[in-house]
């Protein structure tokens, strides 16, 4: 009995000692705390590489992501040795037996780079056989699974532009795939950019159709014609286009809108596209996010509102500091002198109390007060000028049709001669405007739409304007040049004319643009691009125009 008790006590002591060891020992792999995922670092790497960062950074990030994919299979706890990662290399081959399965007809890189299964935008590959997007290339990734299920073996990394064969996992280095890389990420040298306006050569798409670089149609996704005409108009502004064709000019900027606008510009002017049109889907997604869904797919908006918002947002995102300028300022910014006359309530109250007599003139802080009217003079910058159209007649003629009036452009430009008074209702004031500095590119907007309490009306007045040699100094007073040898540049040529057709809420927009290499005019409405005569440009209901200053 004593021996059995001693044996029982020794067993209990062993159990207690084992429990103490387990408690004192370090935690098991399953109990280790999870390492927090730092999303900011990955986003920063992706933006750096996307905006033209060093190739070494891109390679390092890619190998880390790929190693993560592979390590998920071999090491479920993610504790693989760093030595194995650094020594792991991807085999590179010049020949691949599956290159003949690549189908360029189905490749479309205009849409967002998201995996079609996981909807993730990290480490996304495009299948060059069916055109779908899949994430990763490790043994548990969606691209690897697709290669086994569908028998599609050639994939391209949408960020690093490297091509791989799955499930074998080797990299393909074949120059025959360079045309796909150029379509995925078009590139321009500074010499090519300078020669764009001299190029008269047509390009041919895969389906055999011919297209002009820079004159390609834009896909109307759903009521996005107001975006298409704005983009097509801005593509005629040479300094703006040249700036966005070279990504190094804005690689410091982190705005998605700026980079998406640059990508769209390069795709429109690219001469090696697989098809003769471009879809602005990625740019529209960036617009919806940046405008907080003020402009969105499926809802019609006005081009003047979108143009104003886009130019101001690009300017804000591009400038380095608050006082610095941007390419938007250099192209479009002019200056106005504004004289504002308002009824002064304080003076009228003092007059009623017998304080001051009529005709008293008082000057304070650059403003004058005379006969109950306060006058304030100040200068303000502008990106576009809004022109008021005369009211259309209310009654019909003998033929039971409304008379469509016509007005010369010079008549409505008198608003900015410094003498014509414009009355505002809220707040009640009398305004006089005078142009003190002309921009290199002048944007003019005709206010055709008015909204009252019941419905939206459209003014059908036709504006007669010259296509070439618009001389402003003959109609509005302009300031003398500041430098002695400098000439006053007041002659402008039309380069883009946006037109609205149809009813106010049911109509559509189209645009006439000029091709500088041959001085030909083209009419563009979404995907339709056709050559037209300069006389046809002046016969339309102009809504917004861009004029270029003659050098």
């Amino acid at each position: 009995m004593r021996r059995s008790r001693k044996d029982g006590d020794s067993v209990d002591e062993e159990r207690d000692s084992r429990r103490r060891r387990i408690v004192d020992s370090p935690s098991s792999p399953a109990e280790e705390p999870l390492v927090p995922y730092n999303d900011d670092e990955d986003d920063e790497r992706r933006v750096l590489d996307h905006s033209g960062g060093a190739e070494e950074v891109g390679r390092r990030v890619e190998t880390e992501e790929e190693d993560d994919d592979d390590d998920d299979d071999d090491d479920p706890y993610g504790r693989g040795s760093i030595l194995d990662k650094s020594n792991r290399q991807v085999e590179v081959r010049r020949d691949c037996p599956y290159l003949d399965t690549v189908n360029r007809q189905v490749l479309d890189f205009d849409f967002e780079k998201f995996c079609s299964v996981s909807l993730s935008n990290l480490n996304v590959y495009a299948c060059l056989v069916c055109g779908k997007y899949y994430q990763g290339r490790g043994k548990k990734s969606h691209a690897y699974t697709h290669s086994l299920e569908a028998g599609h073996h050639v994939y391209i990394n949408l960020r690093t532009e490297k091509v791989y064969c799955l499930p074998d996992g080797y990299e393909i280095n074949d120059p025959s795939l360079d045309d796909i890389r150029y379509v995925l990420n078009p590139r321009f040298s500074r010499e090519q950019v300078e020669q764009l306006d001299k190029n008269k050569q047509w390009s041919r798409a895969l389906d055999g159709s011919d297209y002009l670089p820079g004159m390609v149609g834009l896909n109307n996704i759903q009521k996005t014609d107001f975006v298409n005409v704005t983009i097509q108009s801005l593509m005629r502004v040479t300094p703006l286009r040249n700036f966005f064709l070279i990504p190094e000019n804005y690689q410091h900027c982190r705005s998605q809108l700026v980079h998406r606008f640059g990508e769209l510009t390069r795709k429109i002017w690219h001469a090696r596209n697989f098809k003769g049109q471009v879809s602005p889907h990625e740019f529209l997604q960036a617009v919806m996010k940046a405008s907080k869904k003020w402009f969105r797919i499926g809802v019609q908006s006005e081009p003047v509102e979108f143009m104003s918002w886009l130019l101001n947002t690009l300017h804000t995102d591009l400038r380095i500091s608050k006082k610095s300028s941007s390419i938007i300022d250099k192209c479009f910014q002019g200056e106005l002198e504004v004289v504002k006359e308002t009824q002064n309530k304080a003076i009228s109250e003092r007059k009623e109390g017998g304080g001051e007599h009529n005709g008293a003139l008082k000057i304070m802080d650059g403003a004058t007060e005379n006969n109950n009217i306060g006058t304030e003079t100040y200068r303000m910058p502008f990106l576009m000028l809004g022109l008021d159209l005369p009211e259309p007649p209310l009654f019909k003629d003998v033929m039971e049709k409304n008379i469509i009036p016509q007005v010369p452009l010079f008549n409505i430009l008198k608003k900015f001669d410094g003498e014509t008074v414009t009355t505002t209702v809220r707040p009640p004031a009398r305004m006089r405007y005078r142009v003190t500095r002309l921009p290199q590119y002048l944007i003019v907007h005709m206010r055709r739409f008015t909204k009252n309490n019941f419905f939206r009306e459209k003014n059908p007045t036709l504006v007669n304007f010259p296509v070439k040699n618009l001389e402003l100094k003959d109609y509005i007073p302009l300031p003398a040049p500041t430098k002695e040898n400098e000439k006053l540049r007041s002659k402008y040529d039309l380069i883009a004319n946006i037109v609205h057709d149809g009813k106010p809420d049911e109509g559509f927009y189209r645009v006439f643009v000029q091709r500088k290499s041959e001085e030909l005019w083209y009419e563009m409405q979404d995907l339709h691009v056709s050559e037209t005569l300069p006389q046809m440009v002046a016969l339309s209901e102009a809504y917004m125009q861009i004029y270029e200053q003659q050098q």
Side-chain angles (χ1 to χ4, degrees):
M1 291 291 290
R2 289 178 183 174
R3 186 178 295 174
S4 62
R5 283 180 184 175
K6 288 180 180 178
D7 293 340
D9 293 340
S10 62
V11 170
D12 292 339
E13 287 176 0
E14 286 180 6
R15 286 178 183 169
D16 293 338
S17 62
R18 282 178 189 170
R19 285 175 187 168
R20 287 187 198 123
R21 282 180 206 156
I22 292 173
V23 171
D24 296 337
S25 64
S27 58
S28 61
E31 294 173 350
E32 285 185 0
L34 292 174
V35 179
Y37 174 64
N38 191 352
D39 199 17
D40 295 335
E41 289 182 6
D42 193 69
D43 285 343
E44 187 175 354
R45 289 172 185 161
R46 193 164 65 252
V47 170
L48 271 173
D49 187 63
H50 181 68
S51 59
E55 291 183 1
E56 294 179 0
V57 177
R59 286 175 190 157
R60 186 172 70 249
V61 174
E62 187 206 359
T63 51
E64 286 175 3
E65 289 174 350
E66 290 161 0
D67 290 339
D68 289 343
D69 288 335
D70 298 336
D71 289 340
D72 287 344
D73 310 326
D74 305 332
D75 190 2
Y77 297 109
R79 296 185 302 156
S81 65
I82 300 173
L83 190 63
D84 291 341
K85 282 189 179 183
S86 60
N87 290 336
R88 183 175 299 163
Q89 293 181 351
V90 179
E91 181 186 359
V92 180
R93 296 186 189 176
R94 288 188 60 86
D95 56 339
C96 176
Y98 303 110
L99 284 182
D100 58 343
T101 63
V102 174
N103 186 5
R104 288 168 172 79
Q105 300 281 354
V106 299
L107 298 182
D108 188 0
F109 300 121
D110 291 344
F111 291 88
E112 285 188 297
K113 312 297 191 291
F114 280 89
C115 173
S116 58
V117 180
S118 65
L119 300 181
S120 171
N121 62 347
L122 295 175
N123 202 23
V124 180
Y125 290 77
C127 174
L128 297 184
V129 183
C130 64
K132 294 181 180 179
Y133 294 167
Y134 295 98
Q135 185 181 17
R137 59 184 183 87
K139 291 183 179 179
K140 291 184 180 179
S141 65
H142 300 296
Y144 191 92
T145 306
H146 177 70
S147 68
L148 295 176
E149 291 179 348
H152 299 170
H153 300 289
V154 188
Y155 296 81
I156 185 171
N157 189 308
L158 294 178
R159 187 170 49 79
T160 63
E161 302 175 14
K162 291 186 177 181
V163 182
Y164 297 91
C165 178
L166 296 181
D168 298 340
Y170 59 85
E171 182 184 345
I172 306 170
N173 184 12
D174 194 296
S176 66
L177 300 171
D178 287 344
D179 59 337
I180 298 177
R181 294 188 178 96
Y182 280 116
V183 172
L184 173 61
N185 184 17
R187 303 168 182 83
F188 289 87
S189 64
R190 297 190 183 274
E191 292 76 16
Q192 290 174 330
V193 170
E194 292 174 359
Q195 297 296 322
L196 276 180
D197 287 334
K198 301 176 184 177
N199 180 31
K200 299 180 181 180
Q201 190 173 1
W202 289 64
S203 297
R204 175 159 292 184
L206 285 179
D207 59 358
S209 61
D210 295 331
Y211 70 93
L212 278 168
M215 295 290 172
V216 297
L218 293 177
N219 189 18
N220 186 347
I221 297 176
Q222 189 181 1
K223 295 183 179 180
T224 56
D225 51 342
F226 71 97
V227 175
N228 293 347
V229 295
T230 305
I231 296 299
Q232 296 285 17
S233 302
L234 291 177
M235 290 298 106
R236 312 308 133 197
V237 180
T238 306
L240 184 73
R241 178 202 67 191
N242 294 351
F243 177 85
F244 279 100
L245 282 178
I246 300 177
E248 286 78 12
N249 292 333
Y250 48 91
Q251 64 181 0
H252 67 277
C253 181
R254 292 194 173 189
S255 168
Q256 282 293 316
L257 183 70
V258 171
H259 289 284
R260 292 288 179 261
F261 185 77
E263 285 179 12
L264 184 59
T265 305
R266 295 197 299 275
K267 287 179 180 178
I268 289 175
W269 286 94
H270 189 46
R272 302 185 192 177
N273 285 331
F274 287 163
K275 54 188 188 303
Q277 66 267 357
V278 176
S279 178
H281 188 267
E282 282 191 291
F283 175 71
L284 283 168
Q285 294 291 335
V287 166
M288 289 171 60
K289 186 175 181 180
S291 67
K292 298 179 180 177
K293 294 191 177 180
W294 180 19
F295 304 103
R296 59 184 187 270
I297 299 173
V299 179
Q300 183 70 271
S301 299
E302 289 194 32
V304 63
E305 294 178 355
F306 180 69
M307 175 80 82
S308 177
W309 174 85
L310 180 63
L311 294 181
N312 281 290
T313 308
L314 289 177
H315 165 67
T316 305
D317 293 344
L318 282 171
R319 62 181 182 178
I320 302 172
S321 62
K322 288 188 176 181
K323 293 184 179 180
S324 62
S325 62
S326 68
I327 187 67
I328 306 296
D329 281 348
K330 296 173 184 175
C331 292
F332 302 107
Q333 192 179 69
E335 192 180 62
L336 283 177
E337 183 185 76
V338 183
V339 179
K340 183 179 180 181
E341 297 178 356
T342 55
Q343 187 77 18
N344 200 319
K345 294 181 180 179
I347 295 181
S348 58
E349 289 174 0
R350 285 201 300 270
K351 279 186 62 180
E352 290 174 0
E356 293 185 14
H357 61 278
N358 286 338
L361 180 65
K362 190 176 181 182
I363 301 174
M364 49 186 296
D365 296 335
T368 60
E369 296 176 358
N370 188 11
N371 292 336
N372 296 356
I373 297 176
T375 304
E376 184 182 0
T377 304
Y378 56 92
R379 295 195 174 190
M380 60 178 291
F382 71 88
L383 292 178
M384 64 176 69
L385 296 178
L387 303 179
D388 300 320
L389 297 176
E391 293 294 330
L394 295 175
F395 304 103
K396 296 182 179 180
D397 61 0
V398 183
M399 304 297 292
E400 293 296 324
K401 292 182 179 179
N402 284 327
I403 303 171
I404 299 178
Q406 298 186 26
V407 58
L409 177 64
F410 308 112
N411 286 9
I412 55 179
L413 274 175
K414 288 181 180 178
K415 174 182 177 181
F416 300 97
D417 61 1
E419 298 177 359
T420 304
V421 175
T422 305
T423 306
T424 60
V425 180
R426 294 179 183 175
R430 290 160 55 88
M431 314 286 286
R432 294 199 302 271
Y433 305 98
R434 186 172 68 88
V435 178
T436 55
R437 189 178 80 243
L438 287 171
Q440 185 180 357
Y441 289 86
L442 179 65
I443 304 178
V444 175
H445 161 234
M446 287 76 172
R447 291 175 176 158
R448 290 199 173 273
F449 300 106
T450 54
K451 195 173 183 180
N452 53 30
N453 294 332
F454 304 101
F455 49 84
R456 195 160 165 253
E457 290 181 305
K458 178 184 175 182
N459 192 329
T461 303
L462 292 177
V463 179
N464 299 324
F465 55 88
V467 176
K468 290 182 74 71
N469 298 324
L470 170 66
E471 182 59 87
L472 290 180
K473 70 178 182 181
D474 295 342
Y475 301 94
I476 57 176
L478 297 174
T482 54
K483 299 179 182 178
E484 294 182 359
N485 298 328
E486 187 181 5
K487 290 184 179 180
L488 178 63
R489 295 174 180 171
S490 58
K491 268 192 178 182
Y492 285 83
D493 294 333
L494 184 70
I495 57 172
N497 181 33
I498 297 177
V499 175
H500 182 268
D501 295 324
K503 297 180 180 179
D505 296 320
E506 302 173 3
F508 55 89
Y509 294 96
R510 55 194 173 96
V511 62
F512 294 93
V513 296
Q514 186 192 36
R515 187 186 179 204
K516 289 186 179 180
S517 59
E518 297 176 336
E519 293 192 358
L520 297 176
W521 282 89
Y522 288 84
E523 179 185 349
M524 310 179 81
Q525 182 185 342
D526 298 332
L527 294 175
H528 303 287
V529 181
S530 59
E531 187 179 340
T532 186
L533 296 172
Q535 293 83 355
M536 299 299 295
V537 179
L539 293 178
S540 52
E541 297 180 6
Y543 174 79
M544 189 162 56
Q545 298 175 328
I546 300 181
Y547 286 90
E548 182 182 29
Q549 195 176 51
Q550 290 186 3
Q551 299 300 320

